[in-house]
Amino acid sequence: MTEKIDEYLKQGIYGQKQTKPDERRRYLGTLRERTVIVLTQPQVRKQGVMSEVEAAIKQNQKARLYLNGHMGYEDISKYSKIAAIHHVEYTIVTNKDYNSELGLVLAYDHAIDKEEVYVKDEKPKIQEAEQKKGVLSFIKKVLKRG
């Protein structure tokens, strides 16, 4: 009886025991096995929105988006807006003891065991458009000279 009371008090003070606490800290409060897609902090900071993340949010509307609260609001707000548009719940996670290298995690509340969840670096949509404009303006300049 005394052990149960001690356990109850510990849970009241420290919270419920969790499985894989290191993995939960890294994946912004969730587990790798539940994850659909992940971006690192530098990927989230890039200008524009990663098209793979936007597509994943559209396709997984019952998942939850976790955003790293240690990052600037201007960096994470573009993803929270996309989540809101597609009616995907999101949470800004700030762990005062640990700053994960991950900036964004889209995950379910149950295991899905997706093999590849990390997005390989890609140019955001805005940069692609700017690059195309740059190429077109270069071609126009060359044609005017000739």
Side-chain angles (χ1 to χ4, degrees):
M1 179 77 166
T2 308
E3 290 177 19
K4 286 185 179 181
I5 293 172
D6 287 342
E7 186 66 29
Y8 182 77
L9 290 173
K10 285 181 183 177
Q11 284 184 10
I13 295 169
Y14 302 110
Q16 285 187 320
K17 290 183 182 179
Q18 290 187 339
T19 58
K20 304 180 183 180
D22 292 335
E23 186 175 313
R24 286 181 187 271
R25 279 190 287 275
R26 181 166 191 235
Y27 285 90
L28 305 176
T30 191
L31 299 170
R32 163 67 177 84
E33 66 192 22
R34 299 174 177 184
T35 303
V36 175
I37 198 163
V38 171
L39 288 183
T40 62
Q41 285 193 31
Q43 288 175 317
V44 173
R45 286 188 186 101
K46 285 185 178 180
Q47 187 176 8
V49 172
M50 299 288 246
S51 59
E52 288 182 49
V53 175
E54 188 170 8
I57 289 171
K58 287 178 186 177
Q59 293 170 357
N60 298 280
Q61 293 185 340
K62 293 189 179 187
R64 176 179 288 270
L65 184 65
Y66 297 89
L67 299 164
N68 191 329
H70 290 284
M71 299 183 66
Y73 178 75
E74 61 280 350
D75 295 323
I76 61 175
S77 66
K78 57 191 172 190
Y79 291 103
S80 65
K81 288 175 185 173
I82 290 171
I85 289 169
H86 297 291
H87 309 289
V88 171
E89 294 183 13
Y90 68 91
T91 301
I92 298 174
V93 180
T94 306
N95 184 334
K96 64 181 179 174
D97 299 324
Y98 182 77
N99 183 6
S100 173
E101 75 277 6
L102 302 180
L104 175 149
V105 177
L106 181 66
Y108 283 93
D109 60 356
H110 59 277
I112 60 167
D113 290 322
K114 185 176 176 191
E115 192 171 315
E116 186 58 44
V117 296
Y118 287 88
V119 174
K120 299 200 176 16
D121 277 330
E122 124 189 349
K123 294 176 184 172
K125 290 179 179 178
I126 292 174
Q127 286 181 345
E128 287 178 10
E130 289 174 357
Q131 194 173 33
K132 286 178 185 175
K133 286 180 188 175
V135 170
L136 290 175
S137 65
F138 174 76
I139 291 171
K140 287 179 184 177
K141 286 179 186 176
V142 170
L143 291 176
K144 284 182 182 179
R145 290 183 188 164

